[in-house]
Structure formats: C-alpha cells, structure tokens
Amino acid sequence: MSGLLPGDPADAVGGAATPRAQCVLAPNPSPMTLDGTNTWLLSEPGSDLAVVVDPGPLDETHLRRVVSIAEQQGKRIALTLLTHGHADHAEGAVRFAELTGTAVRALDPALRLGDEGLHGGQWLEIGGLDLRVVATPGHTSDSLTFHLPADGAILTGDTVLGRGTTMVAHPDGRLGDYLASLRRLHAMAAEHGVRTVLPGHGPVLADALGAVDYYLAHRAGRLAQVETAVEAGCRTAPEVVARVYADVDRALWPAAELSVRAQLTYLEEHGLI
C-alpha cells in the first residue's frame, strides 16, 4: 500500500493533484527522471490565466500538449517558471515561451527570458493565484521551491522527489546547503500548513512532513556510511560509491558519485575526515 511508503505517494503520476495544480507528464522516463518530468500547470479556480512550472525537455509534442490542456480549460498561459536549470526541467523553456508568448522567470539569469528573475521570499500573483518563492539550494545552487499556500502544497523540483531520493549535483550543489533547505521545508510542513509535495519527478506526496523527515534521516545515514567507508580505506569517490551504493542500480552510480563528492567535501569542510 502506498501509505506504507515515505511521504504517502499517490498510486499514479499525472493529472489533477490539488484544486490549483495539474501535472502533465513529459515523455522522458529514465532511471534519473523516474516516470518523466512533471510539468505543472497552475491556476486559480475560475481564472482564465495559468502558470506553468518546468516545461520540461525540448519535446514539441509535450510542449504543445501542455498548451492544449490549458486551452481546453479556457485558460491562457501567462507565465513560465523554472525550479532549476537542469535540461529535463528547463530545456524546453525557450520553445515553450515562443508557443505561449510568456516570459521565463528563474533564479539563474542565464535561464531567463524577460527582465524579471526570481529570488527567495518573493510573492507572485497571477490571475488570483498566489505563489511564494522559497530558495532551496543544494541539489543545484539555483534550486527553488514554489509554495502554493491555498492548497497547502509545495512544488519542489528535484529537491524532494515523489519516489526515492535526489542527488546533490557536485560541485554546483552543496550538501550543507541541501540540508539547510530540507530543514527549511521541514519547518514549512511542521509549522505552516504544508501537507502536499508536488515533485519534479514521481508521484504526488500527501505527507510532506513524513517525506522531509525521511530525506533528512536518509542523508544522515548516507553521510555516516561515507565517513565509515573513508575510515575503512576508501580514498576516491568511485571507491566510496562501490562500497556504500553496492545495493543501488549501477545506472544510478554516476549520480551517486556526484552526491558522494558533495558528501566528502562536506565532511572535509567540517573536519570529520
């Protein structure tokens, strides 16, 4: 049963998730992207305007499908937002902007189309829809989370996934930043009514606090395993991966190596190895 898994994931990926959020699944499944990239279509009920978060890969059929779904609901896409710059989330943004005539707003200036960017603490209002921008660096330095307070939901990009755990993309991503971001999301779930995670990949999670608790525990456990591996004589990231991630699909080892490099840097910076 899904309720036994961390975060209480939904049984399927795609479709309506909350009164204001709908997932359009991109056709790019892989070990890294799970079922594919979740492109999020957001709109206030009754409004004729919509926002898209993470158009996804440069796939013309997918991008046009997102536009078509909005139009079928009588909505015009007014803005495009990016959680971060990885290609599976952002590669299609320029083409999507051409299709919709929208600006693209992101933390990284290199990803923007238009004069306005995004930053943590910012509030956006589009057609009555309220979104709060939350800085959540760690997976990447430019990672953002979008808080949808009316639905008690957060759109987490790759910071929290709907299944499994994410990587810290060393050297751009940093473990210390990532742990701080998880603690920030934990406080939002514990103190500010956030219940639902709308992830960048995988199913929607109904238990945000449980999901973040799991992520924090997983990170602490992996960090301890890496420290033990170093104490046992592992000297390189590939050696640590082979020892610590021996039970993980080898297709994921390149991503695991990035996380291990981030963990080794963290341990060195804190004088633990």
Side-chain angles (χ1 to χ4, degrees):
M1 294 176 60
S2 63
L4 299 178
L5 298 175
D8 190 13
D11 293 327
V13 179
T18 72
R20 293 166 180 79
Q22 179 176 357
C23 174
V24 185
L25 181 63
N28 60 332
S30 74
M32 288 293 293
T33 61
L34 305 181
D35 310 84
T37 299
N38 294 337
T39 294
W40 289 101
L41 182 64
L42 309 179
S43 183
E44 187 69 16
S47 173
D48 62 354
L49 299 180
V51 179
V52 164
V53 176
D54 290 351
L58 183 54
D59 183 290
E60 187 77 9
T61 300
H62 170 65
L63 299 177
R64 288 185 177 274
R65 180 168 174 250
V66 176
V67 175
S68 176
I69 289 173
E71 290 176 344
Q72 289 169 15
Q73 298 173 3
K75 299 179 185 296
R76 176 178 65 85
I77 296 170
L79 183 63
T80 302
L81 305 175
L82 297 177
T83 61
H84 66 296
H86 280 166
D88 54 315
H89 295 257
E91 184 185 37
V94 172
R95 176 58 180 151
F96 191 72
E98 293 174 352
L99 291 172
T100 59
T102 61
V104 177
R105 296 179 67 176
L107 179 63
D108 184 350
L111 299 170
R112 302 172 188 167
L113 287 176
D115 296 330
E116 294 185 278
L118 295 172
H119 57 80
Q122 188 173 14
W123 281 91
L124 308 175
E125 190 278 326
I126 307 96
L129 181 81
D130 289 320
L131 281 176
R132 177 190 171 207
V133 183
V134 182
T136 47
H139 169 68
T140 60
S141 62
D142 69 330
S143 288
L144 298 172
T145 289
F146 297 104
H147 179 204
L148 188 56
D151 286 345
I154 46 176
L155 292 92
T156 54
D158 284 355
T159 298
V160 175
L161 304 179
R163 185 169 62 250
T165 56
T166 198
M167 69 170 178
V168 178
H170 176 84
D172 180 54
R174 295 178 58 82
L175 182 59
D177 291 342
Y178 186 63
L179 293 173
S181 292
L182 289 178
R183 289 191 288 268
R184 187 172 301 119
L185 295 181
H186 188 278
M188 292 174 67
E191 303 167 16
H192 301 290
V194 169
R195 302 175 302 277
T196 305
V197 175
L198 307 177
H201 303 281
V204 172
L205 301 175
D207 178 12
L209 186 60
V212 178
D213 277 340
Y214 171 75
Y215 264 58
L216 286 166
H218 172 81
R219 279 293 161 206
R222 281 294 193 215
L223 196 60
Q225 289 175 320
V226 170
E227 189 173 2
T228 298
V230 172
E231 291 171 352
C234 295
R235 290 293 176 262
T236 67
E239 289 174 345
V240 173
V241 169
R243 179 185 177 100
V244 173
Y245 291 81
D247 59 340
V248 173
D249 184 346
R250 282 177 175 259
L252 297 175
W253 278 21
E257 184 174 327
L258 293 178
S259 283
V260 164
R261 291 184 185 278
Q263 291 172 91
L264 291 171
T265 298
Y266 178 88
L267 290 170
E268 290 169 358
E269 290 174 346
H270 289 77
L272 298 174
I273 58 172

